[in-house]
Amino acid sequence: MMRAAVIGAGSMGRHHARLLADMDGVELIALADIDPQRRAAVAKRTGARPYESYAAMFETEKIDVVSVALPTSLHHAAVVCAFEHGVHVLVEKPIAATVEDAVDLIRRREQVGLTLAVGHVERHNPAVTELMRRVREGELGRLFQAHSRRMSPFPAYVHDVGVALDLATHEIDILRTLAGTPLLRVFAESCQNVHTSHEDSLFGTLRFQDGLVASLHVNWVTPCKTRECRIIGERGMAVIDYLTQDLLFYENSNAPSRWDTMALFKGVEEGNVVKLRVQKVEPLRAELADFIRAARTATPPLVTGTDGLFAVAIAQILLESARTRQAVDVKDEVMRRNWPEVLLTGNK
């Protein structure tokens, strides 16, 4: 039995608590939140003992695993405290507010030998899992373009970061995993329309070493929620709707066994449209199950601290491009900021 706790009982933390309390082989024993009404409400629903301070919770309770679902600016301190008490950690994305804090958490994890999983929940979306499998097996052939859109109304509870860290990191992680090769350069434009201190809209272009070019459109100014990614390859186009967990494949009926000179003269021709069967699950439940598995078996989680580091670094490079209004060479920026050279690698 794994003894679990949750830090943060807000919009995400209450779902972490709900699922951990319902999970076989896990006992949710405690939760911490500074808001007395929030912690009391979640404690009543789950049976967990409520604490105002997570430090006091760690001192009082014997905890094996903890979910950290705090505002981004508070992630680093909470994860450090958990590691100091010998507790495995799942931290909501982004892993931290800065590359430097993310690097520090990865270093500390290596020193203590505990699990550090990052809550990029879309990696546990079954439609994404199925797409990743098909891309790895070459069903789309060579990848040409990707178009990611993640838009929604303004979330009044997010004050400490803008859309680059809060929304774009989801798509950055998916695109980097799909590409599998190093990111070469980015260009971005951002806008601040309704947020008082950060950008609430961002348009970005990412160029990967294998030739994949991805566009990224995220905002908090759209009255309806959209979560979609289109991947175009030599054999056709895959379309994911993250919300419905639907995965469609639009076939290029002219696609040969390999992309050769003659095929270029033929061009692209519309073929069959197939809705691929996906076994739908709640992604957060799958994420938590993967975290518990990793902690139990001392094996890596699906989304590691290094994956979280990449997402934060690329988001910050996109913001630098928007600030300077220039394309940014990733290698130059990593070297200029003295960031870890692992950021210059791919994700094969």
Side-chain angles (χ1 to χ4, degrees):
M1 185 69 70
M2 299 290 277
R3 296 165 62 86
V6 174
I7 301 175
S11 60
M12 283 302 297
R14 59 192 172 91
H15 292 297
H16 283 253
R18 168 180 61 86
L19 292 167
L20 286 168
D22 186 53
M23 192 171 292
D24 291 340
V26 177
E27 180 186 7
L28 180 66
I29 62 170
L31 65 92
D33 193 286
I34 60 171
D35 186 295
Q37 292 183 329
R38 280 202 307 250
R39 68 174 180 264
V42 177
K44 182 179 180 180
R45 286 195 296 269
T46 62
R49 288 182 285 276
Y51 289 83
E52 179 179 7
S53 161
Y54 60 76
M57 180 182 73
F58 285 131
E59 290 291 339
T60 305
E61 305 282 357
K62 179 175 172 50
I63 298 167
D64 300 310
V65 295
V66 67
S67 284
V68 176
L70 294 171
T72 300
S73 58
L74 304 178
H75 285 184
H76 181 267
V79 176
V80 168
C81 187
F83 282 165
E84 289 174 346
H85 287 84
V87 179
H88 302 282
V89 178
L90 166 64
V91 59
E92 266 295 340
K93 69 97 205 112
I95 182 175
T98 66
V99 167
E100 291 73 21
D101 279 354
V103 169
D104 182 65
L105 293 182
I106 293 168
R107 177 183 60 82
R108 290 174 184 268
R109 189 218 69 80
E110 292 170 348
Q111 291 173 345
V112 297
L114 295 166
T115 299
L116 174 60
V118 185
H120 284 273
V121 71
E122 298 293 16
R123 289 275 290 280
H124 300 271
N125 187 313
V128 173
T129 302
E130 181 64 12
L131 174 63
M132 297 291 186
R133 181 187 70 80
R134 290 173 180 269
V135 168
R136 284 195 305 271
E137 294 178 1
E139 292 191 22
L140 268 73
R142 187 160 56 94
L143 302 184
F144 297 154
Q145 293 182 348
H147 306 273
S148 290
R149 298 194 305 154
R150 185 168 288 262
M151 302 175 288
S152 61
F154 181 69
Y157 61 89
V158 179
H159 302 288
D160 57 342
V161 296
V163 291
L165 278 172
D166 188 75
L167 287 189
T169 45
H170 278 297
E171 301 305 323
I172 290 167
D173 181 64
I174 296 296
L175 293 170
R176 172 181 165 264
T177 305
L178 282 168
T181 56
L183 178 64
L184 299 181
R185 61 183 174 271
V186 307
F187 179 74
E189 293 278 2
S190 66
C191 305
Q192 184 177 333
N193 300 291
V194 295
H195 203 296
T196 57
S197 54
H198 296 283
E199 80 289 344
D200 50 38
S201 301
L202 183 128
F203 299 84
T205 304
L206 299 84
R207 177 74 181 228
F208 292 89
Q209 189 176 81
D210 64 350
L212 175 66
V213 178
S215 68
L216 179 65
H217 178 195
V218 295
N219 75 46
W220 280 329
V221 295
T222 302
C224 59
K225 182 180 285 189
T226 300
R227 304 282 188 267
E228 181 187 81
C229 184
R230 295 174 176 247
I231 310 295
I232 302 168
E234 61 185 343
R235 300 186 186 281
M237 176 178 70
V239 180
I240 284 182
D241 186 321
Y242 296 109
L243 296 176
T244 62
Q245 299 182 11
D246 288 332
L247 175 60
L248 300 176
F249 181 66
Y250 294 77
E251 180 186 50
N252 170 18
S253 64
N254 267 348
S257 59
R258 63 185 181 88
W259 198 254
D260 55 22
T261 304
M262 289 304 297
L264 293 175
F265 287 108
K266 295 178 182 178
V268 174
E269 184 173 295
E270 184 176 355
N272 294 323
V273 180
V274 181
K275 183 178 180 181
L276 300 170
R277 186 176 183 276
V278 172
Q279 187 65 45
K280 298 182 179 183
V281 299
E282 185 175 1
L284 184 58
R285 183 183 292 275
E287 177 182 280
L288 287 165
D290 177 73
F291 168 51
I292 297 298
R293 173 205 59 77
R296 274 203 179 104
T297 60
T299 54
L302 178 64
V303 185
T304 66
T306 301
D307 292 320
L309 167 65
F310 269 94
V312 171
I314 295 170
Q316 291 194 353
I317 294 173
L318 285 163
L319 288 175
E320 177 66 12
S321 174
R323 185 187 68 82
T324 61
R325 300 180 183 179
Q326 295 180 348
V328 175
D329 181 281
V330 171
K331 182 176 181 180
D332 289 348
E333 190 68 7
V334 167
M335 303 305 289
R336 181 181 75 83
R337 298 197 189 205
N338 198 30
W339 285 349
E341 292 191 13
V342 68
L343 293 169
L344 302 178
T345 64
N347 193 35
K348 287 290 188 187

